[in-house]
């Protein structure tokens, strides 16, 4: 009998060759290099995730990624690239910039960091074997995830950020990811934020495409939040229209902590944003939300896994997706309530609005409950604009397109209103209006 | 101002309006009374341009122009206004935002300049005060959490701000207590004008004590079956609609 060898796609073969060729050049040795090997072994064994893998059922990367683009070098014109970015420019923030995944010191406010915040570029932290890197990769429900493993194997740069105990940062930290180039490239930036007990911090994260070539981004932000911490996070995906963009937020939340993470997605031909969150201490609360706007043949996936491992925690998820043209939206949200997690209060809602006959939404909310004294609910809706409301608005004189725009804005507004920072909220609302204005 | 000739309308294959004729002159307040299900709301929706109704025959002329092919917003720009029997709630759209959007959309359609914010605010405040609508209501989502009476007053507020030339009030009296009814009637009466016409649809005579009509039409089974002066409303109040149901059937 012939030996059974898995059939690899051209992209998978290229990925394996690339790792073998690069692994000795990527920053870090010892434990870190071993970590890269381990992560890559997962990828080599399973290949690119495809529709037969439950977690990736609606987002078939094997089919979408035909060629594995080479890992981006630090661009020669990194500062100029960053200067093309515009996201969150009005927000009062300290900026950390990344061009094609590489930290750009000359466009980062390292000299103006608020007291209590320390930032080390990740390439340097990896090279020196920074002790705090031991905090990476601790979220159990994220283990084995493809995008996270791929980033762990290839992570080339990023930032290691420490917010010292008790720090109350008055300025936001803006993680400004800018991608652009003349030929295809891949990125694997990683940002690790350690928020020590009692500290509070606001993090804005933007991803913008400013070049001409299609690229494959795969960013990971990890937050390890101690007890009594408050983290306010807002995120924008304005990736280039032909980009494939994977992103992951992995969080461990201590006791009496509060995390809010809200975002808007307008970019990418295919995008997937994943949130893995583990409650590690009691009496903590989580709010996750987002507004996704899709058209043409875009595909955007939001995948959440919220792990209630301890009692007395609350989680709220509210995701809105508006889909026009032949675009496809995906929402997969899983709330796990472990046997010990009594008094968990979890509510998850995903609502989609289809603006065309050819738009598609795949909604998969799931509850896995192993405790008996909990309150959990989830809902998923998918519908069209209400014709009676449209009639009411048009009968008052609004042209149909304006009436539709008003209703879509109201629909998305419910999620965007939750953004605390006024400048960021206004920008996200304006981007939603701009998106609506571009409807033919 | 409004002339309807032989209007025949169906919905889902069911005939609702059956060759309806109606004329309302500029400056006139015409009332339509009729039993539930006689087609009063259907008539108002068809004039305003609701899509789901199928017009099989007839025409609706506003100032001599047949409006049946026009979109609802184009009809609104020509001065048609319908105060809904059941105003809709629009969560996430603040009443102020909505008022500004509709006022400016109509001005744009008529090639008038947009209102400045202070001018807009001034007009809204003045009109809201007359209708006893407080500022807090204007900040809420349109009609969200409003009582039945508040919703009806909000319809009249929009009518006052848009200054339409042909106003249809579909059972604006239903769900109103006597005080609210007086406020609404007062709002309508101040808008009476030789250049403006009203079609006041009601099931009860009560509203017509406060908005005194020039003409009264009785509708049954999708037609106007009788027309007269304001005394007809009193007669109907005394005798009820039983005669008309039988006559039409
Ligand atoms: N959308 C609709 N679909 C089916 N039947 C309808 C619809 N709207 C109205 N009708 C029917 O048309 C008739 C007239 O209704 P309506 O115009 O609301 O009467 P009125 O306002 O005089 O009470 C009723 O028999 C009603 O059931
Ligand atoms: Mg009615």
């Amino acid at each position: 009998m012939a030996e059974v060898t898995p059939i690899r796609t051209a992209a998978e073969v290229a990925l394996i060759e690339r790792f073998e060729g690069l692994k000795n050049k990527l920053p870090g040795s010892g434990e870190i290099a071993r970590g890269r090997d381990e992560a890559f072994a997962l990828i080599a064994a399973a290949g690119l995730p495809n529709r037969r893998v439950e977690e990736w059922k609606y987002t078939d990367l094997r089919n979408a990624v035909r060629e594995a683009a080479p890992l981006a070098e630090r661009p020669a014109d990194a500062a100029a690239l960053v200067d093309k970015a515009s996201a969150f420019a009005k927000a009062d923030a300290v900026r950390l910039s990344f061009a094609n995944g590489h930290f750009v010191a000359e466009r980062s406010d390292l000299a103006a960091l608020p007291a209590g915040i320390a930032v080390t570029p990740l390439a340097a932290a990896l090279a020196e074997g920074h002790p705090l890197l031991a905090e990476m990769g601790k979220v159990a429900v994220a283990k084995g995830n493809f995008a996270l493993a791929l980033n762990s194997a290839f992570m080339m740069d990023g930032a290691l950020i420490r917010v010292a105990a008790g720090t109350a940062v008055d300025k936001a930290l803006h993680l400004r990811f800018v991608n652009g180039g003349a030929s295809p490239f891949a990125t694997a930036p990683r940002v690790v934020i350690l928020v020590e007990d009692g500290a509070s911090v606001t993090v804005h994260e933007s991803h913008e495409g400013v070049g001409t070539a299609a690229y494959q981004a795969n960013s990971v932000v990890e937050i390890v939040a101690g007890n009594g911490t408050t983290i306010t996070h807002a995120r924008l995906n304005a990736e280039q229209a032909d980009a494939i963009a994977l992103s992951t937020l992995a969080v461990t939340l201590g006791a009496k902590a509060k995390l809010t993470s809200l975002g808007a997605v307008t970019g990418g031909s295919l995008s997937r944003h994943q949130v893995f969150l583990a409650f590690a201490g009691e009496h903590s609360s989580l709010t996750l939300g987002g507004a996704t706007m899709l058209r043409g043949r875009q595909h955007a996936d939001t995948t959440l896994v919220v792990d209630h491992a301890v009692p007395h925690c609350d989680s709220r998820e509210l995701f809105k997706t508006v889909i026009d043209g032949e675009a496809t939206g995906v929402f997969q949200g899983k709330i796990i309530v472990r046997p010990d997690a009594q008094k968990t209060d979890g509510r998850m809602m995903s609502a989609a609005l289809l603006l065309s006959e050819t738009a598609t939404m795949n909604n998969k909310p799931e509850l896995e409950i192993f405790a008996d004294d909990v309150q959990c609910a989830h809902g998923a809706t998918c519908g069209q604009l209400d014709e009676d409301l449209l009639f009411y608005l048009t009968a008052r004189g609004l042209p149909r397109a304006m009436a539709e725009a008003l209703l879509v804005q109201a629909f998305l507004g419910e999620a965007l209103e939750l953004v605390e920072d006024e400048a960021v909220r206004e920008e996200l609302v304006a981007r939603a209006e701009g998106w609506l204005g571009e409807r033919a | 101002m409004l002339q309807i000739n032989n209007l025949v309308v169906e919905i889902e294959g069911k005939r609702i309006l059956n060759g309806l004729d109606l004329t309302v002159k500029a400056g006139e307040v015409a009332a339509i009374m009729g039993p539930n299900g006689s087609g009063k709301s259907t008539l108002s929706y068809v004039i305003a341009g609701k899509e789901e109704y199928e017009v099989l025959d007839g025409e609706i002329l506003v100032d001599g122009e047949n409006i049946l092919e026009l979109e609802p917003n184009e009809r609104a720009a020509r001065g048609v206004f319908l105060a809904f029997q059941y105003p809709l709630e629009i969560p996430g759209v603040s009443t102020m935002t909505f008022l500004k959007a509709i006022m400016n959309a109509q001005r744009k359609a008529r090639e008038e300049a947009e209102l400045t914010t202070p001018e807009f605010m001034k007009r809204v405040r003045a009109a809201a005060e007359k209708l006893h609508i407080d500022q807090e209501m204007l900040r809420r989502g349109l009609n969200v959490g409003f009582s039945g009476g508040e919703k009806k007053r909000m319809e009249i507020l929009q009518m006052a701000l848009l200054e339409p030339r042909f106003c249809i009030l579909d059972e604006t009296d239903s769900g109103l207590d006597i005080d609210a009814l007086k406020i609404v009637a007062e709002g309508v009466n101040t808008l009476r004008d030789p250049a403006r016409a009203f079609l006041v649809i009601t099931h009860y005579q009560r509203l017509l004590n406060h908005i005194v009509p020039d003409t009264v039409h009785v509708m049954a089974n999708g037609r106007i079956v009788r027309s007269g002066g304001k005394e007809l409303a009193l007669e109907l109040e005394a005798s009820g609609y039983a005669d008309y149901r039988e006559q039409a059937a």
Side-chain angles (χ1 to χ4, degrees):
Chain A
M1 258 175 72
E3 192 181 312
V4 180
T5 47
I7 299 163
R8 297 194 194 276
T9 65
E12 286 165 347
V13 172
L15 205 56
I16 290 168
E17 284 172 5
R18 194 146 291 141
F19 185 71
E20 294 306 324
L22 271 177
K23 60 188 255 188
N24 295 322
K25 297 182 196 132
L26 289 164
S29 55
E31 211 35 53
I32 285 156
R34 264 193 299 283
R36 290 188 191 275
D37 283 337
E38 257 171 48
F40 197 76
L42 279 172
I43 288 160
L48 288 164
N50 59 73
R51 76 189 69 215
R52 283 181 298 279
V53 179
E54 184 62 23
E55 239 192 296
W56 294 84
K57 185 168 149 188
Y58 301 112
T59 300
D60 187 331
L61 283 187
R62 185 177 287 173
N63 191 40
V65 180
R66 294 296 163 91
E67 282 169 56
L71 196 65
E73 304 273 343
R74 187 180 199 285
D77 57 347
L81 213 56
V82 170
D83 291 340
K84 290 185 189 163
S86 64
F88 301 158
K90 287 200 185 122
D92 186 21
V94 183
R95 293 188 165 80
L96 301 178
S97 302
F98 307 89
N100 298 352
H102 292 270
F103 183 72
V104 185
E106 60 270 38
R107 287 294 179 273
S108 298
D109 302 325
L110 286 185
L113 293 174
I117 294 198
V119 175
T120 314
L122 196 79
L126 289 166
E128 75 182 56
H130 198 295
L132 288 177
L133 291 177
E135 300 295 328
M136 275 197 301
K138 292 269 174 74
V139 178
V141 285
K143 291 247 161 68
N145 174 262
F146 170 81
L148 184 60
L150 187 68
N151 180 284
S152 299
F154 284 101
M155 58 184 168
M156 60 299 226
D157 204 350
L160 172 64
I161 301 168
R162 179 176 167 222
V163 184
T167 306
V169 186
D170 55 347
K171 271 192 174 190
L173 272 179
H174 179 185
L175 308 175
R176 178 164 53 177
F177 295 92
V178 187
N179 294 318
S183 58
F185 61 91
T187 74
R190 181 115 158 194
V191 174
V192 181
I193 308 174
L194 306 168
V195 187
E196 295 181 352
D197 291 351
S200 58
V201 65
T202 296
V203 179
H204 300 152
E205 180 189 342
S206 62
H207 298 263
E208 290 172 275
V210 297
T212 50
Y215 57 84
Q216 298 166 358
N218 180 25
S219 62
V220 171
V221 174
E222 280 187 78
I223 299 176
V224 182
N227 300 334
T229 53
T230 301
I231 296 113
T232 309
H233 175 236
R235 184 178 181 280
L236 171 69
N237 163 347
E239 301 274 19
Q240 213 160 281
D242 51 5
I244 293 179
L246 306 178
S247 56
T248 302
L249 174 67
V251 184
T252 307
L253 204 54
K256 296 195 173 111
K258 185 170 177 253
L259 176 103
T260 304
S261 175
L262 301 159
V265 176
T266 59
S269 66
L270 178 148
S271 70
R272 167 149 157 148
H273 182 58
Q274 316 184 117
V275 180
F276 297 102
L277 185 131
F279 283 103
E282 300 184 16
H283 298 286
S284 290
S285 66
L286 165 70
T287 301
L288 294 177
T292 299
M293 292 150 261
L294 305 172
R295 61 160 56 102
R297 306 190 59 121
Q298 279 180 293
H299 175 108
D301 176 333
T302 300
T303 292
L304 320 172
V305 182
V306 175
D307 186 2
H308 284 269
V310 296
H312 295 287
C313 291
D314 299 344
S315 63
R316 294 284 177 276
E317 292 86 23
L318 176 63
F319 285 84
K320 299 277 184 127
T321 309
V322 176
I323 315 171
D324 205 352
E326 295 168 64
T328 303
V330 177
F331 175 83
Q332 303 187 105
K334 187 190 279 187
I335 300 180
I336 304 168
V337 183
R338 309 259 174 209
D340 287 343
Q342 301 296 0
K343 305 287 180 193
T344 289
D345 185 339
R347 272 150 230 260
M348 175 163 62
M349 179 70 197
S350 163
L353 195 53
L354 306 182
L355 299 182
S356 77
E357 306 263 306
T358 45
T360 307
M361 180 71 194
N362 299 299
N363 251 327
K364 199 175 102 188
E366 286 176 275
L367 297 175
E368 284 183 8
I369 301 180
F370 303 101
D372 49 18
D373 186 12
V374 301
Q375 279 195 41
C376 284
H378 68 65
T381 63
C382 183
Q384 281 141 336
L385 287 170
D386 184 321
E387 282 299 328
D388 288 335
L389 288 181
L390 285 169
F391 172 62
Y392 187 63
L393 295 173
T394 54
R396 291 291 143 90
L398 293 184
R400 172 103 187 176
M402 273 181 75
E404 290 188 358
L406 198 64
L407 293 181
V408 174
Q409 263 167 269
F411 174 80
L412 294 174
E414 213 192 326
L416 294 176
E417 265 167 26
L418 303 173
V419 175
E420 266 175 50
D421 185 290
E422 195 180 339
V424 169
R425 181 178 63 243
E426 281 174 4
E427 176 170 338
L428 295 181
V429 168
R431 281 178 185 266
E433 282 172 14
W435 184 87
L436 284 163
E438 286 161 22
R439 275 189 82 204
Chain B
M1 168 157 297
L2 175 81
Q3 194 180 337
I4 298 177
N5 298 320
N6 188 37
L7 192 62
V8 180
V9 171
E10 279 188 8
I11 188 158
E12 292 165 4
K14 185 176 162 197
R15 181 142 319 181
I16 316 250
L17 300 183
N18 251 317
L20 181 138
D21 297 307
L22 178 70
T23 302
V24 184
K25 295 196 195 71
E28 184 179 329
V29 174
I32 291 193
M33 301 184 70
N36 282 330
S38 57
K40 304 184 298 296
S41 289
T42 301
L43 173 64
S44 67
Y45 285 145
V46 173
I47 298 172
K50 199 169 187 186
E51 237 173 55
E52 64 209 57
Y53 296 95
E54 199 184 344
V55 178
L56 297 178
D57 202 359
E59 54 184 7
I60 300 177
L61 306 174
V62 172
D63 297 327
E65 182 194 12
N66 190 353
I67 61 166
L68 279 175
E69 294 303 315
L70 299 179
E71 296 297 324
N73 55 302
E74 296 170 323
R75 301 182 194 200
R78 280 166 178 72
V80 174
F81 180 92
L82 165 62
F84 282 54
Q85 180 171 3
Y86 304 107
L88 289 103
E89 297 187 8
I90 311 192
V93 177
S94 88
T95 304
M96 274 299 199
T97 305
F98 169 77
L99 293 175
K100 198 165 186 190
I102 63 175
M103 286 171 79
N104 281 330
Q106 293 208 10
R107 294 178 72 86
K108 192 168 173 206
R110 291 193 289 259
E111 294 177 355
E112 292 163 14
E114 278 202 359
L115 289 173
T116 63
T117 301
E119 178 59 24
F120 164 75
M121 296 296 290
K122 201 177 101 191
R123 292 191 189 193
V124 172
R125 274 209 200 96
E129 200 168 319
K130 278 192 199 142
L131 290 161
H132 302 240
I133 290 171
D134 68 40
Q135 297 296 309
E136 196 273 324
M137 255 172 83
L138 297 173
R139 282 191 290 271
R140 279 195 259 161
L142 182 67
N143 292 328
V144 178
F146 290 13
S147 69
E150 286 172 334
K151 286 179 183 168
K152 295 297 175 78
R153 273 187 277 154
M154 195 54 77
E155 294 288 283
I156 304 304
L157 175 72
Q158 291 168 48
M159 188 168 88
L161 292 170
L162 293 171
E163 302 178 326
R165 297 177 48 248
F166 182 68
C167 312
I168 310 164
L169 285 80
D170 188 2
E171 302 217 17
T172 298
D173 51 333
S174 66
L176 295 188
D177 60 30
I178 187 66
D179 293 332
L181 184 77
K182 280 183 182 159
I183 293 166
V184 164
E186 174 63 25
V188 172
N189 287 331
T190 53
L191 291 173
R192 288 179 88 146
D193 186 286
R196 184 174 284 139
F198 290 85
L199 188 61
V200 179
I201 295 173
T202 181
H203 185 75
Y204 302 103
Q205 188 269 339
R206 183 178 74 146
L207 177 69
L208 304 180
N209 289 334
H210 302 277
I211 304 173
V212 180
D214 300 303
T215 50
V216 174
H217 305 274
V218 182
M219 187 160 169
N221 281 25
R223 275 201 189 101
I224 301 299
V225 294
R226 200 173 155 199
S227 301
K230 58 175 183 262
E231 65 290 343
L232 183 52
L234 295 168
E235 188 190 316
L236 279 170
E237 181 77 355
S239 63
Y241 292 113
D243 296 351
Y244 296 101
R245 281 206 187 88
E246 268 140 45
Q247 179 190 334

